[in-house]
Every structure is written in structure tokens, then in C-alpha cells.
Amino acid sequence: MGGQETGNTNNKQSESLEGVLERITFYNEENGFLIGKLKGQTKAAEIAVVGKAPKVQCGETLALKGTWSTHPKHGRQFAFTSFESKLPASAYGIRKYLASGLIHGIGKTYANKIVDHFGADTLRVISEESGRLREIEGIGKLRVKSIKEAWEEQKTVREVMMFLQTYGVTDALCLRLVRKYGNSAKTVLENEPYRIIRDVKGIGFKTADKIALNLGLASNGPARIDAGVLHTLQESEDEGHTHVERRELALNSANLLEADAQDVENRIDALMKEGEMVTSKPDWVQNPISARAEETLVRCLNNQSQAASSLPPIQVEKAIVWAQEKAGFSFADQQAEAVRQALQSKISILTGGPGTGKTTILRALVSILRAKKTKILLAAPTGRAARRMAESCSHFAQTVHRLLKFDPSQGGFTQNEQNPLTCDFVIMDEASMLDLRLAAALIRSIPPRAHLLLVGDADQLPSVGSGNVLKDLIQCELFQVTRLAVTFRQAENSGIVGLAHGILAGKGSPPPPVDTLTEINPQHDVHFVRAVTPEECVNAVTKLSKDILPRKFAIDPKNDLQILAPLHRGIGGIGNLNDQLRDALNPNGATQVMGAMLFREGDKVIQTRNNYDKDVFNGDMGIIEAVDTLNGKVDIDFEGKKVSYQRMEVTDLQPAYAISVHKSQGSEYPVVIFPLLKQHFMMLQRNLVYTGLTRAKKKVVFVGDPAAYAMAIRNDKTLVRQTDFVRKLLHIPK
């Protein structure tokens, strides 16, 4: 609905319309598109209005300019192209405004009581004489304080929203700005617009630059060129590189800025002198944080390799025989070798695809080490991966972030070289997800005498953050590496495992596509449903999720099913899929708009950034239990852990019926639906399909164009990440 046409308005004379916004039927927080009902000044009936109106609330008076049109389904409506918003002046409008739950501490009941008492003077009283709210029965000192703070916060948010509405900044990002800067948000925007690039995730150079240029900052000034150069360097890191050729950096920066090349070169020199960039090798530069992370990794790995082992004496061959007897079967040669190397080598790596026996090896190692009463630590990048590891090894496991104990007040981990972990052996699962900085934080926290085993599938997508740590450690050939290549009998019958290995060989082909959903065979564990257009694809994914898969496979669509999509935008993208799936799978949940976000009790959501205070991390999934607009709170159940979010924190949550393949790394789901369309061509890569496929434990359903699947399997030319890690590990001079 968010993308619906508002009718043909060409060659129509613009008209004006003013009234109170009665209802918000639909709101898209990404672009501010609104469908609502307006009570006009001269008409008693509600008027349908459509257009872009960022951050407006029920009860506000809107002055609109636009044209009348007739929608084929929704009838007559006013399509506005510009608007002005005023705080409500009438008691009616104020009552509507406050009852929306916008102000923490005021719900429908108190909105009525306050407006009944103060009438049209209500907003002035809240703003200038908030103490008078105690004249209302039931409102005490603490509630007055809460209302006053929420009112001031809302004023700031509104001010920033209005300031930024012409710059394409989403409501969610505006809330992040206010969350970061508080009442100083507008001042920062006006005086230091480029600062927001590094301070607020999601706001890039182009947005900040548009603000800066509109405010009159010089297009060739040092502040602008510096911001452009650092932005270009960060873009390179966002692509996974840890350093970039200086000439390439200067050229890309000059193109971005449309600036003189010499001016850019001069500012690069200045940034180097100021320590904002450093030389990695002749004519290459990198972020100093990345440089320090690489150097830390090299130093700590060298120290660990050279230090004596803290393990007690272990007769390795006898231990392997004992572990086999305990397991009830004999290990394959590669499996026995992996256990042997882990016990004998201070640093070792175990890599292999699905069904090759990595879990068997970890279970054996943990059994041996526990029998020797050693201190073992198991870790994984995500909560789901940690839980899976704990279940398979019958030993406590945790996320890297919890293991290292992040201290928000210090901006770093408390476990480090000065305060190392207490352990003899560390096993790190899903190591392909470790980016450069997290890997450095982990390695520097491990005492030199302890052993380290890195476990991962080197053929999966690389880490979201910069670096290619697992592949670099394998490539340097300094550490013991066991590559598992044999698929075991219990996995051979799995269509998922077979297809995964075929994909890696570049010859994997899915089962013959079916044209109707009813043709899906419950006996198979890999399926392909043909849906060539984005519209067909979305419809098929929705029907599969709501009806067909729950019926055929007896699954819970919220808990047992995950949609993994290559792209965020477009009809077949994650955003639209979530909108459709929410309506299909959770149509009756109580819906509330809080800030810029729509929440529905029962919705499946995902945390999008690490929150160390709440002990929830990027990628954690949960279900909304309650939305309390009166107190400005959302309660989430993260697989048994209850977490409450305040109004300004909800921007860290996104719907999770559909997520990206990158977000799925480290997780497994009973059933996966994977839409694949030619429109996804930018992301159609072999390792993307391989990673998405191997997230499924029991069933996977591809939905889309068989030609898109074939394109992806043929494309093994994933972006080579430029890193300086191997050179430093091998001590190759610059």
C-alpha cells in the first residue's frame, strides 16, 4: 500500500486544504509516505489524504497543497505535494494529539482528564507550567517530571524532523540524531553537519553534504574535503577492505566531491599528519584503528605461538581412542587429525562445509579437555550460534561480546592483555564471521599459554565488518589447518548438504522448478517454486509462509521459518516482504506507532546494533510481547530473555519475518525460504546462495527465477578484500 499511486494529477490546478489529522491509516518511515484521514474545516466528513509528511501525529493541524484524484480502489482522495504542520490549537485537536501516546506518561485516559481541565491552553501549560498538571487527580510529582521530559524530547524531535524533512533523512535516523545529541541536535546540524557522519550510523556523506551546502559551507573548504576523503575511506572499509591505494582514494574522493584533484591530495597529506589516516605500505593508506587491530593480531598470535602450553600432559592417541569409545563410533582420519592438531598446536584452524563432521570433533575435544579438568571457553559471534554450540557440546557457550565483557563507559572490552581471560583452551565457532577488530579484541584477551581453535566454513560469506581474518590465517600457512572434505553417511542423504557441495563445485542445480505451490513434495528437503516477477515472488513467499509450509510440514511460521532475501529495497526486497508477512502472519496484534516505528504485539523483530547495557546484540531475534504507549515502552521476548525498550531505543529494532543473508550468518533455522530474482543481480553470488542454503536444518524453498539461481552459481567472482594482515603476519617489509 505504501507505494500506491495517488491518481493522475497532471495538468490539474493545485488546491489548498486544511484540517485536523484524524487517523493515520498507513505510514512508511523510510520515505515519510502517509495515508490518512483529515477532518476539514468546512466538511464534517473525513477526507482521505495521501502524500509525504514526515513525523506528523494525529491531532495536528495540516495545511496541504495538492490535487484531488480518484483511486480505483480507495475512491476520492487529496494527493498533497507540500504541507505545513501546526501543533493543535483546539481542545479537540489537542485531545487527539495527546491520546496518540506520543508523550510518555499520557495515554487516552489522562489526555481526556488534562484537556477537560485545561482546554485549549493544555499545551502551553505542559510547556511552561508543567507543575500545574498536579491539579489533575492521579498525576503526581514523578508523572509530571516524566511528562515534561517527554514533551521536551518531542519538541526536539519535531524541530529536527522539520529541519531535515527536505534532506531525505528517515524518521528513524532523526530519532537516532536526537538520541545522540539530545537538545543540541539542531545546533550540531547547523554548525558541524559533517560530524553526524561518524557519530550516527546510517547517515552518510551525501546527506550531511546536502545539509552543509544548503547552509552555505564552502564546496572547496577543508571541512568538506576532509569529510569526503574519510567517507571514501570508510566506504572502502564497508566493502571489507582494510586499506586502499592512495591514488584510488584520491580519485574516488575527487569524483565524489567534484573537487580539484590537487586540493584533495593536499587534504590527504593534512589528514595523514593529523593521524586520521596512516601508511600501510608505500602508496597505500588505512584507518589507524584498522592498522592497530592488524598489528595487535600479529603481536598476540606470535606471542601465543611461542609460549608454552598450559594444558596438562595428554597422551593424545589414547585420548582420541577414549573419545571414540565415548562417542560410540570411530572417527574418520581427518576428524582424528583435527583433534590431534588442536591438542598439540597452540593455534589451529578447522574448516569444512556442512555434514563434514565439525561438530563431532568439537564434542570429542570438549570431552577430552573436561576429563583433564582444564578450563575451556566456547564462543561464537551470535547468540543463536552460541546456543547451538552449547547444545552440541554439552558445555556452556557464549557470544564473543559477552565473553569479553564490553564496558560502555570505557568504550571497549574489559577482557584484554592487561586483564586476560582465565582459560586453558578457547574454541571459537563460526570464525568466518570475525571481522578484523573483533578478532583483535578476542585474540588479545587470550592468555599466551592457552590454546586457540578457530572453527568455520571458509566458503561462506565473509564478515560484515572489514577484514578477511579466517581466510587470511589459512592463506599465511603459519598455523595448523585441517580441511574437512568428506561428507559423512548420515549427511549424504540430505538434499541440502548435497546441493551445498554441488554449489561450491559450481555445478549445483536445484530440483526441477514447480509452477504451483501445491506441487511441493513434503518428502523432499530442497524445493524450487517458479515465480519470475517480484509480485509473483512476494505472493508465493506469503502463501508458503502463511498456509502451505505450516500445513505440509507442521511448522510454526514465526519460530520455525525464516525468509532470507538478498536485497533490502524493491518489491521483492526485505522491507516489502516484512510488510506483507506481518499482515499475513500477525494480522490481529495490537498495533501502535511509537516514534517513527510501527509495532504490533506478536511481531517478530531483530536487534540491529549491539546494546551492551541490555545484553542484546546485533542479530538477536525476539517477539514483541507488549507495546505500552502510555509509558513509552516496548517489551520483547528474546528466546526467554525479557527486555524492555524505551521510546528512543526502538530505532534499534526492525521487523524480522524477512532478513538479509548476512544477518543470518551464525544461525540455523528449521525451514528457510530464499527468494531469488534477476532484480537481485547485484547480490547474485555463489557464496551468498551457499550461505543462505546452509542456514536451513531441514527444508529450504527457493522462490523465484531459475535463471537468477543459475546466474548466482556461475558467479564465483566475489570481491577480493584488500587487507594488510598477511603481509604483517609474514613480516614482509613495506
Side-chain angles (χ1 to χ4, degrees):
M1 233 181 130
Q4 76 175 41
E5 296 292 325
T6 59
N8 183 11
T9 60
N10 293 336
N11 304 318
K12 291 186 180 179
Q13 188 173 356
S14 181
E15 298 183 42
S16 297
L17 182 67
E18 185 168 319
V20 175
L21 185 61
E22 282 286 300
R23 284 186 291 137
I24 297 175
T25 309
F26 173 86
Y27 183 72
N28 185 333
E29 69 93 10
E30 284 292 323
N31 58 19
F33 183 83
L34 172 142
I35 304 173
K37 296 290 186 179
L38 198 79
K39 180 170 279 190
Q41 294 179 325
T42 58
K43 294 185 179 181
E46 294 180 349
I47 302 164
V49 294
V50 296
K52 290 186 178 181
K55 198 56 187 176
V56 294
Q57 298 290 335
C58 291
E60 293 185 34
T61 297
L62 300 183
L64 310 175
K65 288 187 178 179
T67 56
W68 290 96
S69 62
T70 301
H71 191 279
K73 182 177 178 182
H74 302 288
R76 187 166 169 78
Q77 56 189 18
F78 189 78
F80 62 92
T81 54
S82 66
F83 81 102
E84 288 184 16
S85 175
K86 308 171 192 174
L87 286 174
S90 68
Y92 174 82
I94 294 169
R95 194 185 304 272
K96 199 84 177 173
Y97 187 72
L98 294 181
S100 69
L102 184 71
I103 308 300
H104 179 60
I106 302 179
K108 189 174 182 179
T109 301
Y110 277 114
N112 286 330
K113 286 183 178 181
I114 294 169
V115 177
D116 286 345
H117 190 75
F118 296 112
D121 202 32
T122 295
L123 297 186
R124 188 197 64 77
V125 170
I126 294 174
S127 182
E128 300 174 12
E129 300 179 79
S130 58
R132 289 187 60 195
L133 292 171
R134 297 184 68 183
E135 297 171 16
I136 308 299
E137 184 182 355
I139 295 183
K141 189 175 179 180
L142 288 177
R143 189 175 289 272
V144 169
K145 183 174 181 289
S146 174
I147 290 171
K148 178 65 174 175
E149 288 174 350
W151 174 253
E152 293 300 326
E153 175 193 286
Q154 180 57 30
K155 276 176 52 182
T156 301
V157 170
R158 183 183 178 84
E159 198 175 53
V160 172
M161 292 275 185
M162 293 303 172
F163 178 75
L164 292 175
Q165 65 176 294
T166 59
Y167 298 108
V169 179
T170 66
D171 292 1
L173 289 178
C174 285
L175 286 174
R176 286 185 191 172
L177 281 164
V178 175
R179 183 174 166 189
K180 176 69 179 177
Y181 302 121
N183 293 335
S184 305
K186 191 168 180 230
T187 303
V188 171
L189 287 167
E190 290 175 332
N191 295 294
E192 300 176 87
Y194 294 111
R195 177 181 164 186
I196 64 177
I197 301 170
R198 62 177 185 269
D199 285 355
V200 182
K201 186 179 180 182
I203 294 186
F205 173 80
K206 290 182 179 178
T207 298
D209 195 46
K210 191 185 292 184
I211 296 169
L213 293 176
N214 280 358
L215 290 170
L217 272 70
S219 62
N220 62 346
R224 181 171 186 261
I225 295 176
D226 289 358
V229 170
L230 293 174
H231 167 73
T232 304
L233 181 62
Q234 184 57 55
E235 276 195 325
S236 178
E237 286 219 342
D238 292 344
E239 292 176 354
H241 310 300
T242 65
H243 69 165
V244 62
E245 195 172 8
R246 175 171 170 151
R247 183 178 63 180
E248 182 184 342
L249 175 65
L251 179 64
N252 291 341
S253 300
N255 289 338
L256 171 73
L257 296 161
E258 298 180 349
D260 181 79
Q262 191 56 54
D263 288 344
V264 173
E265 287 283 359
N266 292 341
R267 292 312 305 168
I268 290 176
D269 288 337
L271 289 167
M272 297 283 284
K273 288 177 183 176
E274 293 165 9
E276 295 286 346
M277 295 186 297
V278 297
T279 300
S280 56
K281 58 183 182 179
D283 299 321
W284 287 71
V285 297
Q286 68 183 147
N287 184 311
I289 298 173
S290 295
R292 287 195 295 272
E294 286 178 339
E295 290 156 4
T296 297
L297 267 174
V298 170
R299 184 183 72 254
C300 293
L301 287 168
N302 284 338
N303 291 343
Q304 194 173 349
S305 297
Q306 295 166 15
S309 171
S310 63
L311 293 182
I314 298 175
Q315 294 182 305
V316 174
E317 299 308 321
K318 287 185 177 180
I320 292 172
V321 172
W322 175 85
Q324 290 179 126
E325 291 173 351
K326 188 174 173 53
F329 59 87
S330 296
F331 299 159
D333 290 345
Q334 282 187 331
Q335 291 176 312
E337 179 63 16
V339 175
R340 189 177 295 114
Q341 293 294 349
L343 293 173
Q344 293 178 336
S345 306
K346 292 294 300 303
I347 300 170
S348 56
I349 298 168
L350 174 63
T351 184
T356 54
K358 296 191 294 293
T359 299
T360 297
I361 296 165
L362 297 189
R363 200 181 291 127
L365 265 176
V366 170
S367 296
I368 293 169
L369 293 168
R370 286 176 67 173
K372 287 294 184 176
K373 296 182 168 49
T374 59
K375 176 68 174 173
I376 319 161
L377 294 175
L378 307 186
T382 68
R384 280 177 172 262
R387 284 189 291 275
R388 192 175 73 245
M389 194 183 189
E391 290 166 4
S392 61
C393 296
S394 301
H395 190 85
F396 177 71
Q398 58 194 311
T399 65
V400 183
H401 296 90
R402 292 189 180 97
L403 177 70
L404 302 183
K405 297 181 180 66
F406 188 85
D407 181 0
S409 64
Q410 300 296 319
F413 296 106
T414 59
Q415 305 284 175
N416 48 43
E417 285 174 275
Q418 289 70 47
N419 182 34
L421 298 163
T422 303
C423 60
D424 300 302
F425 208 113
V426 176
I427 301 176
M428 177 69 207
D429 201 7
E430 299 287 353
S432 63
M433 294 179 65
L434 286 176
D435 63 31
L436 175 64
R437 297 180 190 182
L438 187 56
L442 172 66
I443 303 300
R444 73 194 296 250
S445 74
I446 299 174
R449 289 170 61 85
H451 286 235
L452 170 65
L453 172 63
L454 295 171
V455 184
D457 187 345
D459 294 311
Q460 285 190 24
L461 289 169
S463 60
V464 175
S466 63
N468 209 359
V469 175
L470 183 63
K471 282 192 175 179
D472 283 350
L473 288 171
I474 294 171
Q475 182 190 334
C476 73
E477 298 183 343
L478 294 175
F479 310 103
Q480 294 292 334
V481 179
T482 304
R483 293 180 176 85
L484 303 176
V486 177
T487 304
F488 290 93
R489 188 176 300 166
Q490 61 267 29
E492 284 180 350
N493 295 325
S494 165
I496 293 171
V497 171
L499 184 59
H501 288 280
I503 287 170
L504 292 181
K507 57 185 181 184
S509 56
V514 298
D515 294 306
T516 63
L517 300 176
T518 54
E519 295 179 67
I520 289 177
N521 188 338
Q523 302 304 313
H524 297 166
D525 52 9
V526 181
H527 315 266
F528 201 114
V529 175
R530 194 191 311 271
V532 176
T533 70
E535 292 82 3
E536 291 172 345
C537 181
V538 172
N539 288 337
V541 169
T542 304
K543 289 179 183 176
L544 283 164
S545 303
K546 183 182 179 182
D547 300 316
I548 295 172
L549 297 185
R551 186 175 67 251
K552 284 183 178 281
F553 303 139
I555 62 168
D556 179 344
K558 284 188 192 177
N559 296 316
D560 300 329
L561 171 66
Q562 187 59 57
I563 288 83
L564 304 179
L567 289 178
H568 284 269
R569 300 188 182 278
I571 295 173
I574 292 166
N576 185 51
L577 280 167
N578 271 315
D579 288 343
Q580 302 303 319
L581 290 163
R582 169 195 277 136
D583 290 340
L585 300 180
N586 189 29
N588 300 318
T591 303
Q592 299 288 350
V593 176
M594 186 173 295
M597 307 291 289
L598 184 149
F599 292 96
R600 187 174 291 171
E601 292 179 6
D603 269 349
K604 184 177 179 180
V605 293
I606 186 169
Q607 177 77 10
T608 60
R609 63 183 280 278
N610 295 331
N611 188 321
Y612 302 96
D613 293 328
K614 295 186 182 297
D615 199 34
V616 290
F617 300 95
N618 189 2
D620 286 354
M621 285 190 188
I623 301 292
I624 295 178
E625 283 198 327
V627 182
D628 183 353
T629 54
L630 174 61
N631 296 303
K633 193 173 71 167
V634 178
D635 294 331
I636 313 288
D637 180 355
F638 287 100
E639 300 186 16
K641 180 173 65 182
K642 310 299 175 100
V643 181
S644 290
Y645 287 72
Q646 300 302 315
R647 190 182 303 276
M648 296 297 288
E649 297 171 323
V650 297
T651 57
D652 295 341
L653 298 169
Q654 292 293 333
Y657 299 101
I659 62 172
S660 69
V661 178
H662 284 86
K663 282 286 187 192
S664 75
Q665 286 184 265
S667 297
E668 286 185 345
Y669 315 95
V671 182
V672 165
I673 297 178
F674 197 152
L676 277 175
L677 295 164
K678 286 184 178 179
Q679 286 80 358
H680 299 150
F681 70 93
M682 292 178 61
M683 298 294 292
L684 292 179
Q685 298 167 349
R686 185 183 297 176
N687 61 351
L688 182 95
V689 177
Y690 174 80
T691 302
L693 171 70
T694 55
R695 300 309 89 204
K697 290 193 290 187
K698 297 178 179 179
K699 308 280 183 183
V700 65
V701 184
F702 292 99
V703 180
D705 190 340
Y709 180 93
M711 286 169 62
I713 304 308
R714 287 197 301 270
N715 181 16
D716 65 343
K717 296 178 174 59
T718 54
L719 181 68
V720 176
R721 294 190 167 191
Q722 301 289 347
T723 76
D724 203 30
F725 184 32
V726 172
R727 182 187 67 80
K728 289 174 179 175
L729 273 169
L730 297 175
H731 304 289
I732 299 172
K734 291 183 180 180

